[in-house]
Amino acid sequence: MSASGDAAMIAAIDVGGTKIAGGLVAPDGTLHHRVEHPTRARAADPAEVFLTVAEVVAELAEDPRWARVDRVGVGSAGPVDIVKGTVSPVNISAWRGFPLVGEIRALPQVAGAPVALGGDAVAMTAAEHWRGAARGFANALCLVVSTGVGAGLVLDGRVYPGPTGNAGHLGHITVDLDGEPCPCGSRGCLERVASGTAIATWALREGWRPTGDAVTGPAPDAAAVAASAREGDPIALAAFDRAARALAAGIAATATLVELDVAVLGGGVLRAGELLLAPLRRHLESYATLPFTRHLTVRAAELGTDAGLIGAAALALD
């Protein structure tokens, strides 16, 4: 495993509760040869879960370009600890303080090469700042709105992970003082209002019922709520408005704290498009009222499912 100069490549790994992906990324951010395996998330043995990572690396190493790889970047569901090189993903119960960096460096294909670790939302932030919707902005907040809400910060032109790699964890700031308890131990967290899971849960509680294919499919999700909202269902529309308002409050609070130029939103819930973004922009006008926050721009993320891998590579290059 060796490389030099412009010929170098970065091996990127994206660890999630559903899948573990890998890719080879060029120094200009171009993604090559993506591979993906299901995560053994229900396994009780940490080593069994890691087998998926080993399989992804082994498959990447079969590509001739692997000989040009000189470093590895890893984005993982968190919390993470970039100092210790450990991960404790809430959706992978067998990994608590798992030494992911050390285990990857010990793989024969990696052979002790440098391994950089970051949280998945921080990796997405790095990707969007490098190649996506936050490119050219010195101060940015990038959010992943999916089954949870994750986020990362760019300050003064650089991704700011914080001492342990968890800075900008917007999903667990309180936006409702009397809100529901959160698994994190707090209550009224943004994630409990604005995540895809929260959108569907609130809509069902308020009397919304899915229509069409969603009636007989799996448990209703934000996509099913979005389908009803497009048809004008008032509860479905209110569910997205409620989520957008909570996101606007969190974004405005962050902008007040660190002075942001742009907020970039990605993740599965953003497939709803303007159903979420339009009320978010409207509510932001009510929350971001100080002169130094009014210029804040809201954009949809551009890199989609490739963001995790491109961002992991960006973390390795930084």
Side-chain angles (χ1 to χ4, degrees):
M1 186 177 187
S2 62
S4 61
D6 293 337
M9 299 283 282
I10 307 101
I13 301 171
D14 182 15
V15 177
T18 303
K19 62 176 176 59
I20 295 175
L24 301 178
V25 181
D28 66 354
T30 304
L31 174 63
H32 299 276
H33 186 52
R34 178 188 177 104
V35 301
E36 188 176 299
H37 288 248
T39 306
R40 295 173 169 90
R42 296 185 179 180
D45 183 359
E48 184 178 349
V49 181
F50 183 73
L51 281 176
T52 307
V53 178
E55 290 166 357
V56 166
V57 171
E59 190 169 339
L60 285 177
E62 293 175 359
D63 189 285
R65 288 166 291 193
W66 182 266
R68 293 152 50 194
V69 169
D70 69 346
R71 67 194 70 195
V72 180
V74 183
S76 174
V80 303
D81 189 323
I82 60 175
V83 176
K84 297 178 180 178
T86 60
V87 300
S88 304
V90 294
N91 48 7
I92 304 177
S93 58
W95 279 4
R96 291 295 175 266
F98 183 74
L100 183 58
V101 168
E103 292 293 324
I104 291 175
R105 292 188 75 230
L107 291 172
Q109 299 90 347
V110 176
V115 178
L117 172 66
D120 51 1
V122 174
M124 176 267 195
T125 300
E128 291 292 338
H129 187 240
W130 186 18
R131 300 271 299 180
R135 188 173 184 176
F137 290 94
N139 301 286
L141 173 69
C142 297
L143 297 95
V144 181
V145 187
S146 186
T147 52
V149 176
L153 288 166
V154 176
L155 300 178
D156 293 330
R158 294 179 64 92
V159 175
Y160 178 72
T164 65
N166 297 286
H169 206 340
L170 199 66
H172 292 286
I173 70 166
T174 296
V175 294
D176 183 355
L177 296 180
D178 300 314
E180 299 176 3
C182 179
C184 77
S186 186
R187 64 185 308 118
C189 289
L190 176 61
E191 187 171 290
R192 300 293 289 174
V193 181
S195 69
T197 305
I199 290 170
T201 299
W202 185 87
L204 285 166
R205 191 167 61 229
E206 294 297 309
W208 166 79
R209 293 296 177 264
T211 59
D213 294 340
V215 174
T216 57
D221 56 11
V225 181
S228 293
R230 292 188 185 97
E231 296 173 358
D233 184 290
I235 297 176
L237 286 166
F240 274 95
D241 185 79
R242 177 176 179 264
R245 185 180 181 188
L247 285 166
I251 292 168
T254 308
T256 303
L257 187 66
V258 297
E259 298 197 43
L260 298 173
D261 302 312
V262 65
V264 175
L265 287 87
V269 175
L270 267 294
R271 295 190 187 102
E274 289 301 309
L275 284 173
L276 183 69
L277 290 174
L280 170 56
R281 293 188 182 103
R282 185 179 70 252
H283 286 302
L284 196 58
E285 292 179 2
S286 300
Y287 288 103
T289 58
L290 291 169
F292 61 90
T293 64
R294 289 177 187 162
H295 70 287
L296 179 61
T297 301
V298 174
R299 293 187 171 189
E302 296 178 357
L303 299 178
T305 56
D306 291 339
L309 292 174
I310 295 173
L315 296 176
L317 285 172
D318 188 5

